[in-house]
Structure formats: structure tokens, C-alpha cells
């Protein structure tokens, strides 16, 4: 199992940048692929980004492609989400999640058995 804790959320203005971190406990972090999801009030939790266990492959939702970057440091048991050029529509609670095998279903929240508690990101216009 792995426990996940997100940090780095906050209130920013449109156009600003923010970096989220997700710290994982446990010795097997490098075995897990990691994802970031977000959920705005009244909306379903949606996929944002995914990174393979080695960090060699990444995928993004179209809405954040070119603005967000997912990365990981397996030596530090941490995955990051660098968010640039933030927009008001990026406002949501952001969650990191871990999965051991999703195949092509990396975008589906059902593929992830382990979740953090979430961190709020608010972007003002």
C-alpha cells in the first residue's frame, strides 16, 4: 500500500503559476504510476495528468496540455504537478493517486486504488 499527501495548493491570480507536490509513504513508490485528478464543485472528478512508474511516459488532459507538467522524483517518493498560466476554470480540489497497472485506462479514476486527501487550488480572474 501507499499513503499520499498533497501540498502546495492556494489562491492565485489568472496567469500565475503553482506547483503541487504529492509525497508518498512506503518503499514501493517507484512501482506505481501516478496520476493527478481534480474536482470542481458540482462536477465529476476528472483526469489531469499521468506519469509512468519510471517517469518516462506522461499523458495530459487536453484542457491542460502545454500548461501543466507532471514529473516525479522516485528518490524522494514525490510526484509534482507544475501548473503555469492558470485560468479560473482550473479552480478545483486537486488529488494525486497511485495505480500499479491501468494500461490504456490511465485517465479513469476507477483505475486508481490509492488517493490523497486533496488540496484546493483557486484561481481568481
Amino acid at each position: 500500500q501507499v499513503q499520499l499527501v498533497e501540498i502546495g495548493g492556494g489562491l492565485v491570480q489568472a496567469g500565475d503559476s503553482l506547483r503541487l507536490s504529492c509525497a508518498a509513504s512506503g518503499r514501493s513508490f517507484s512501482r506505481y504510476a501516478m496520476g493527478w485528478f481534480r474536482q470542481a464543485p458540482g462536477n465529476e472528478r476528472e483526469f489531469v495528468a499521468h506519469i509512468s512508474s519510471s517517469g518516462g511516459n506522461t499523458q495530459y488532459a487536453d484542457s491542460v496540455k502545454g500548461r501543466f507538467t507532471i514529473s516525479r522524483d522516485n528518490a524522494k517518493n514525490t510526484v509534482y504537478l507544475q501548473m503555469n498560466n492558470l485560468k479560473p476554470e482550473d479552480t478545483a480540489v486537486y488529488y494525486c493517486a497511485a495505480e500499479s497497472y491501468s494500461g490504456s485506462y490511465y485517465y479513469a479514476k476507477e483505475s486508481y486504488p490509492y488517493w490523497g486527501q486533496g488540496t484546493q487550488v483557486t484561481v481568481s480572474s
Side-chain angles (χ1 to χ4, degrees), residues 66-119:
R67 299 188 298 122
F68 290 12
T69 302
I70 188 171
S71 62
R72 67 190 295 161
D73 185 338
N74 284 347
K76 294 183 178 179
N77 282 11
T78 302
V79 62
Y80 306 96
L81 186 69
Q82 177 67 42
M83 305 184 292
N84 298 330
N85 190 23
L86 282 160
K87 303 176 180 180
E89 51 263 42
D90 294 319
T91 295
V93 177
Y94 282 71
Y95 299 88
C96 70
E99 54 94 355
S100 55
Y101 182 74
S102 66
S104 58
Y105 296 99
Y106 57 84
Y107 55 86
K109 58 184 183 294
E110 292 79 11
S111 296
Y112 296 77
Y114 306 112
W115 292 84
Q117 82 289 348
T119 185

Side-chain angles (χ1 to χ4, degrees), residues 2 28 34 43 48 60 73 80 90 92 100 102 118:
V2 60
S28 57
M34 300 295 295
N43 289 357
V48 175
Y60 297 92
D73 185 338
Y80 306 96
D90 294 319
S100 55
S102 66

Side-chain angles (χ1 to χ4, degrees), residues 6-96:
E6 303 96 336
I7 59 173
L11 172 64
V12 297
Q13 293 186 334
D16 285 351
S17 297
L18 203 60
R19 188 176 82 157
L20 305 182
S21 299
C22 173
S25 64
R27 292 176 291 180
S28 57
F29 175 72
S30 61
R31 297 182 181 180
Y32 293 94
M34 300 295 295
W36 284 97
F37 287 74
R38 65 187 182 186
Q39 188 167 16
N43 289 357
E44 293 287 324
R45 191 169 298 189
E46 65 175 9
F47 169 74
V48 175
H50 175 267
I51 188 166
S52 63
S53 57
S54 67
N57 291 298
T58 57
Q59 294 85 22
Y60 297 92
D62 288 343
S63 59
V64 306
K65 202 171 294 184
R67 299 188 298 122
F68 290 12
T69 302
I70 188 171
S71 62
R72 67 190 295 161
D73 185 338
N74 284 347
K76 294 183 178 179
N77 282 11
T78 302
V79 62
Y80 306 96
L81 186 69
Q82 177 67 42
M83 305 184 292
N84 298 330
N85 190 23
L86 282 160
K87 303 176 180 180
E89 51 263 42
D90 294 319
T91 295
V93 177
Y94 282 71
Y95 299 88
C96 70

